[in-house]
Structure formats: structure tokens, C-alpha cells
Amino acid sequence: MRLILGSASPRRKELLAQIGVVPDDIRPPDINEDPAKGELPRPYCARMAIEKARAVQASDDELVLCADTTVALGRRILGKPRDAGEAAEFLLALAGRRHNVITAVALRLGDRVWERDVVTAVKFKRLSDEELNAYLRSGEWDGKAGGYGIQGMAGAFVPWISGSFSAVVGLPLAETAGLLQGAGFPVYQEAP
């Protein structure tokens, strides 16, 4: 059985390697990721992961693994910022507050799709102008939900999380391993 990773994220590929999984191919889907009017963060995230899995071209014997990570501030979805100005807006909204990071994983084999999602609570410290500006200059915010990556410089902004660290990075490993094992795909194998 071949595994297709439906993601261009190097972080997801690295996380899979932690559980001994190396995708046979990488095929990022191209879908509209705009939330529907009034759509709540958790259903939105699950819908995105499933739509991504369905959008990846694959044969019936190829497993397709896709994920979506969304930062939710209450009912508000903070996606990937368009520019540094929007990244600053997101980071200032998160500063000194708790928010949820939702990561949904979808696994597709033929017409069957399995989905799991994980919600992790994250607390940001208050940010000084110096911290905010240094982070914006780093460019790490680019392409990251909520405008930050916990595995980089922004890890210093997070004094507390409750939930899955790997889910905040972009792929909840326990749930992903369970989905793969349930589909008969081997995990925890030594790298070749």
C-alpha cells in the first residue's frame, strides 16, 4: 500500500518521520480554503481536511493523508495571514490570551474517508513591540495559521498549552498513527 501525503508542509513530513512513516509521494491539493459565511472553526477545519483528501488524485490502492490546522480565537478563524500587517493583527489579537488550535486529519482510501480532529488550548504571553517586530522581520509567520509557528521563535511566546504539541505544529501524531494503523498501514518502522 502506498501513502500519498496531500500537503506541501515540510513540518508534516518531518512529523510523520517521527513515527517511522515516509510518504511514497507528495501531492498537495489545490482547493479554495475560504471559510463559509458563519462557519465555526472546528467544522471548518474538518471540512478542509476532508476536501483536501478528496481533491488529491490517487488510485484506489493509495492511501491519501491530508490535514488542516486552524487557529480559533473564540468563533473567529485566523488563517494564514496575507501579509506582515495581517500577521501583526493576528499576533496582537492573540497576545495575552488563550486560543484554540484545531488540527483535522483526513485519510482516504478509494471512496472511504476517515477524519479525526484535535483541539489544543494555547496561551500566548503579552508581546512587547520589540518581540512582535523581531518576529515579523523573521518571516516565520508566513504560511502559518494564526501567523505563528510554535516550533520556531514563537515558542517563546507560549508559556502554556493543554493538548497535543504535534497538532499545533500541524499533525496530531497519536491520532494520525491510529488512522494509519486502522487502515492497515505500518507505522513505527525504521527509516530505510
Side-chain angles (χ1 to χ4, degrees):
M1 186 181 304
R2 288 170 43 87
L3 178 67
I4 309 306
L5 177 59
S7 174
S9 166
R11 291 166 302 283
R12 290 195 176 116
K13 186 177 175 190
E14 291 165 7
L15 287 165
L16 281 173
Q18 289 181 23
I19 58 171
V21 174
V22 178
D24 293 292
D25 197 7
I26 296 175
R27 300 178 197 160
D30 183 19
I31 66 167
N32 178 355
E33 296 189 37
D34 293 336
K37 186 172 173 59
E39 191 170 24
L40 294 175
R42 192 169 182 176
Y44 161 77
C45 194
R47 179 176 66 83
M48 284 295 96
I50 291 167
E51 284 186 14
K52 287 176 182 181
R54 288 188 173 135
V56 172
Q57 292 293 320
S59 63
D60 285 344
D61 64 341
E62 291 179 318
L63 269 175
V64 176
L65 177 69
C66 292
D68 189 75
T69 300
T70 298
V71 171
L73 189 57
R75 297 168 63 97
R76 183 176 174 201
I77 295 169
L78 303 183
K80 296 173 185 168
R82 291 183 295 273
D83 54 34
E86 189 170 50
E89 177 190 320
F90 288 177
L91 292 167
L92 289 170
L94 296 171
R97 300 175 67 183
R98 286 187 188 180
H99 62 277
N100 287 325
V101 176
I102 304 150
T103 298
V105 180
L107 187 65
R108 177 174 66 88
L109 182 61
D111 292 332
R112 292 190 64 188
V113 178
W114 300 269
E115 183 270 334
R116 299 283 181 277
D117 50 76
V118 175
V119 179
T120 302
V122 178
K123 184 176 193 298
F124 252 48
K125 71 182 199 90
R126 294 188 189 282
L127 300 177
S128 69
D129 288 345
E130 181 182 349
E131 289 168 324
L132 176 64
N133 290 324
Y135 192 71
L136 293 172
R137 280 193 307 273
S138 78
E140 274 191 18
W141 56 268
D142 192 23
K144 305 223 176 41
Y148 77 93
I150 196 170
Q151 71 279 8
M153 284 175 60
F157 304 159
V158 180
W160 175 92
I161 75 166
S162 178
S164 170
F165 179 82
S166 66
V168 178
V169 176
L171 193 68
L173 289 180
E175 291 74 11
T176 301
L179 284 171
L180 289 168
Q181 288 173 315
F185 191 86
V187 296
Y188 312 116
Q189 307 294 308
E190 289 186 33

